[in-house]
Structures are given as C-alpha cells and as structure tokens.
Amino acid sequence: MTEQGVRWTAEQVLALAPDAASRKAGGKLGTAGPWSEAGSGEGTVWGLCKGSGSRPYQTVVDLADAAGPAYRCSCPSRKFPCKHALGLLLLWAGDDGSVPASAEPPDWAEQWLAGRRKRAGSKQAREEGSSPSGSADPEAARRRAERRAERVTAGATELEQRLADLLRGGLAAAEQAGYGLWDETAARMVDAQAPGLAARVRELGAIPGSGAGWPARLLEECALLHLLDQGWLHRDRLPDALAATVRSRLGLPATAEGPPVRDRWLVLAQYDTVDPKLTTRRIWLHGAASGGTRLLLSYGAAGRAPELSLPVGLALDAELSAYPGAGQARSALGERYAAPASAAFRPPGTTTAEAAARYGEALRDDPWLESVPVTLDRVIPATDGDLWQLADADTDSALPLTRAARARPGLWRLVALSGGGPVTVFGECGHRGFTPLTAWPEGTGEAVPLC
C-alpha cells in the first residue's frame, strides 16, 4: 500500500503526464475550484470534477497498485492519465485540506476498485495454473526462427551491396538522391523482418545536407551499419553476449533470461518517444542494494500512452530480470511486492570526465550504443558561447548538452534549480553530449523531473 501520510510532489505528479498538453491542462485543474466530494484513503484518491456538461466527471486514482498508478475517469479522453486525474493528484499533493482523508470511497469509486481487484485475482490464478512450458510447439518455433533468420540474412546481404554502391559512387550522390533511396531501402529491411536495420537506414536519410561535416557523419553511420551487418552474417564467430547484442540491435525478439534481482528500485526518470505507429516509454531505475541502473521499456499504440507509469523519485520493491546482450541495461519488470513509496536514497554521482570514460568503455561491448545512464555529482549548468554545458563544480571539466536537451523546457527548470550552485543530475551520456533527465538540489531536496 502507499504509505499513509506521504504525499507526492507536484513534479512527481506532472511527470506522469502523457504529453505537454495534458501537463498544462492538468495544472489548471490542480486547484479546489472545480472539485467536490474529493477524498483519499487506503492508497486511493477520488473526486468529482465540474466539466462542460451537467454531470461532473467521476475521477479516481489507485495509488496502491504495485504496477504503478491506475486511473479511471468518466470523461471521454483516451489519454492516461487524463487531465482530470492529473488535476486530482495535484490537488492531493498540495496537502492543503482540499482532499481530506476519508474512511471509505464513494460507491462509484469502490465499484471500480473492486472490479480491479477481481480482475487482478483472476489473472494471478490463470498465471499460477498455467503450465510453464505452455502449449507452444518447440519444433514449430524453431522453424519460424530459422525462416526469419534466412530473411534477415538476405536483407543484410542486400544492404551490404547498397552500402558498397553508395561508397563506390561517392557520398555526394546521397545528397542528390534525397529520401527516396533510403525509404525504399528501409522498406526492404522491413520485408526482411529486420526492423533495427530499417530504423538505422531511415536515420541515414536525414544526414545528407544537414550542415557542415555531413559527409563525415554519413560515413560514420554507414560504417556502424556495415559493422552490424557483418556481425549478423558472422554471428557464429561472436561471443554469445555480443551475438545477443547484435540480435537486439537488429530488432529480433528476445526474452529476459537473467535471474530475478529483488531490490528497492528508485525511479530515476521516465519519458516517451513517439513515432507515427508507436509510443515508447523509457523508465530508468536504480537499485538501492544492487547498485545497478536498469531500463524498462513499455509500448503503446499510436496516440496511446503505454500502460506502465512510475512516479519519478519514488522507490519500487520489485524483481527485475535482465535481457541478454553485452552491456545491455534493459530489464523486464517481474513480481512487485508493494506500491511505489517514498525513498531517501539517491544514486551515487560521478564527474563529467568519468561519465565520458564510462561511455567509451561501454562501446567496447556495444559499438552501436547511443548513450549510457550516468548520475553527475556537483555540476553547474553554464553557457559556452551559444551552447549549454554541465560543468564540474570542483574540476575544470564539463559535458556539452545535446541539441534535444537545449530545446526542452527542462533546461530552464534545471537552471532555476541550480541558481548558479551545484546540483546532482541524472541523464544519458553519449557521443552527442549529455541529456539531463532528473535533478536533485544540494542537501535532501526532492527529485525534479526535467523531461
């Protein structure tokens, strides 16, 4: 259950918003004006929110679910959480008496909670009663895997030929060809059932003509694509861990095979990336006892937020199992023993120089790695000409911020939090620079999401 008497911060609530528009709309509803009959108790918050119709919207949030917050609102929004759920949580987080502790939720809220408990019990019974081996035919699965491997091999071989043609004709031809060449090649990789190759090919199309030095950047990406092709075509010669990394980079399915590790996992950051077909949510966790930093991935169809949502700054008592691959941070969330609760610990920090060194070391295990998770200790956001960087407060080293980080409102939140003084910052460090995701002020301040 959620710890009684412990309320989230407004930053933790807003970090759950599926997009900027919901964050803004939810913020407007975080006052007592539109709410009535609000209450909380036993890890649940509920209330009625006045809308444009004659009947108020019934909104309830289950904070005690070990899978993370669950929401129900009678509004027609397809976003989770909707603006009403965000507003209700902001009102509750304010702790000004607008959401008093109540003995029992109203009938409409209790009916939804009872239904959730019943469905959860039925699901657990099905899982406990199912056979570990399932009904799948191992021989049929093996044949499917062989057929897919043949398609991927054909796609990788074709891509090698196309890369050779590009280099033989000169990189200048890539600028004249436009996106058509890359879109058609990416479609061929999709046909070959190698979505990882397709995604990398599409990225190549954005490089020609993208500014000074684009031929060098294009050549670098072509080299990495060639290395991935060769890794697949000669996978039988690779160590098992590196071969698993190659399969992961190609987009082939894998299962979490690592032994479950139970720990109190601090939620370091959560953010979404959106493409026309899929929303991908990345959640970074840090283990209090294990000391590891792990990544959870969850997905939602186009226009829908992924189901898994964990508030930044809280800790989850749960088991994680690692996916195969050299240097891979991704894990699967297993059994959860309690709802996310407040946490007093932080991940240990390091210097900017050590962060860059960690990324270099990680490339030995995974040459295609874009970034590594890093917590920087005692850094100060500062300008470097027209750019921004995080400078060590105690040394003369610094890390530049990525272009994406410089364009986000989170940069100004970080600058305001720092006020010219050192802060602790968690983020992703890669060849394009550092992307700050969460920050803590000096002392015992709460985590402040920056994305």
Side-chain angles (χ1 to χ4, degrees):
M1 299 296 291
T2 299
E3 296 180 22
Q4 297 302 308
V6 178
R7 303 200 180 212
W8 298 355
T9 65
E11 288 80 9
Q12 289 170 335
V13 172
L14 292 175
L16 299 173
D19 50 43
S22 297
R23 189 178 298 113
K24 182 177 180 180
K28 294 180 179 179
L29 292 175
T31 60
W35 293 96
S36 61
E37 300 183 27
S40 65
E42 294 298 318
T44 307
V45 185
W46 60 84
L48 300 176
C49 185
K50 183 179 180 181
S52 57
S54 58
R55 293 185 178 182
Y57 296 123
Q58 298 174 338
T59 308
V60 57
V61 182
D62 183 2
L63 301 170
D65 194 318
Y71 319 93
R72 190 268 178 185
C73 185
S74 59
C75 76
S77 175
R78 298 179 61 191
K79 297 180 179 180
F80 295 95
C82 68
K83 63 181 182 180
H84 305 101
L86 289 171
L88 177 61
L89 287 177
L90 286 171
L91 189 66
W92 168 74
D95 198 14
D96 61 356
S98 299
V99 185
S102 303
E104 295 290 341
D107 290 343
W108 55 267
E110 180 58 41
Q111 289 175 5
W112 177 73
L113 291 168
R116 281 184 53 77
R117 299 186 191 108
K118 182 178 180 180
R119 289 191 296 271
S122 300
K123 180 180 179 182
Q124 181 178 0
R126 290 195 303 270
E127 292 175 348
E128 292 175 350
S130 62
S131 169
S133 60
S135 58
D137 182 351
E139 180 60 24
R142 183 189 64 80
R143 290 195 298 269
R144 287 194 298 270
E146 288 181 350
R147 289 195 296 269
R148 180 166 189 174
E150 292 173 357
R151 295 191 186 97
V152 174
T153 297
T157 302
E158 179 181 344
L159 183 55
E160 284 290 277
Q161 184 60 53
R162 296 196 177 205
L163 290 175
D165 292 343
L166 172 64
L167 297 179
R168 189 179 299 112
L171 295 181
E175 188 174 20
Q176 301 171 357
Y179 283 99
L181 169 67
W182 308 108
D183 287 342
E184 192 269 336
T185 304
R188 295 288 296 165
M189 296 305 103
V190 172
D191 293 340
Q193 294 187 306
L197 288 180
R200 286 185 169 270
V201 168
R202 290 192 186 96
E203 291 174 359
L204 292 181
I207 298 177
S210 60
W214 72 260
R217 294 194 297 274
L218 179 61
L219 185 60
E220 177 185 340
E221 293 302 321
C222 286
L224 288 172
L225 196 52
H226 166 70
L227 184 63
L228 185 56
D229 278 341
Q230 291 297 311
W232 172 259
L233 296 174
H234 301 92
R235 59 193 180 281
D236 55 328
R237 305 180 190 176
L238 301 179
D240 290 344
L242 183 56
T245 298
V246 169
R247 288 193 292 270
S248 173
R249 292 300 177 188
L250 286 168
L252 301 184
T255 57
E257 301 173 349
V261 176
R262 182 178 178 180
D263 206 338
R264 289 190 69 220
W265 298 97
L266 177 66
V267 183
L268 294 176
Q270 173 178 292
Y271 68 96
D272 295 348
T273 55
V274 181
D275 64 34
K277 295 183 179 180
L278 193 69
T279 297
T280 301
R281 174 163 294 166
R282 290 171 170 82
I283 303 176
W284 286 106
L285 306 174
H286 178 80
S290 63
T293 301
R294 310 302 302 171
L295 175 65
L296 301 180
L297 295 179
S298 59
Y299 303 95
R304 298 294 298 269
E307 182 177 350
L308 182 62
S309 182
L310 299 175
V312 173
L314 300 187
L316 182 68
D317 182 4
E319 291 181 346
L320 298 186
S321 297
Y323 279 84
Q328 298 294 295
R330 185 185 177 190
S331 292
L333 183 58
E335 185 172 356
R336 286 150 281 187
Y337 299 92
S342 60
F345 66 97
R346 298 181 186 176
T350 188
T351 65
T352 56
E354 176 60 26
R358 287 185 188 179
Y359 177 60
E361 293 170 358
L363 289 175
R364 294 182 301 183
D365 293 328
D366 185 353
W368 308 277
L369 190 64
E370 291 288 330
S371 61
V372 294
V374 175
T375 301
L376 301 177
D377 191 27
R378 289 182 54 78
V379 291
I380 302 172
T383 56
D384 179 20
D386 295 331
L387 305 179
W388 280 89
Q389 62 182 5
L390 291 179
D392 280 320
D394 306 312
T395 70
D396 58 356
S397 63
L399 280 175
L401 296 188
T402 60
R403 178 182 297 180
R406 298 196 302 268
R408 293 175 179 169
L411 170 60
W412 305 111
R413 203 175 306 148
L414 175 60
V415 172
L417 182 69
S418 166
V423 291
T424 299
V425 182
F426 169 77
E428 298 169 346
C429 180
H431 64 283
R432 294 185 176 89
F434 187 86
T435 301
L437 301 175
T438 305
W440 296 262
E442 287 281 88
T444 59
E446 298 284 350
V448 178
L450 304 174
C451 54

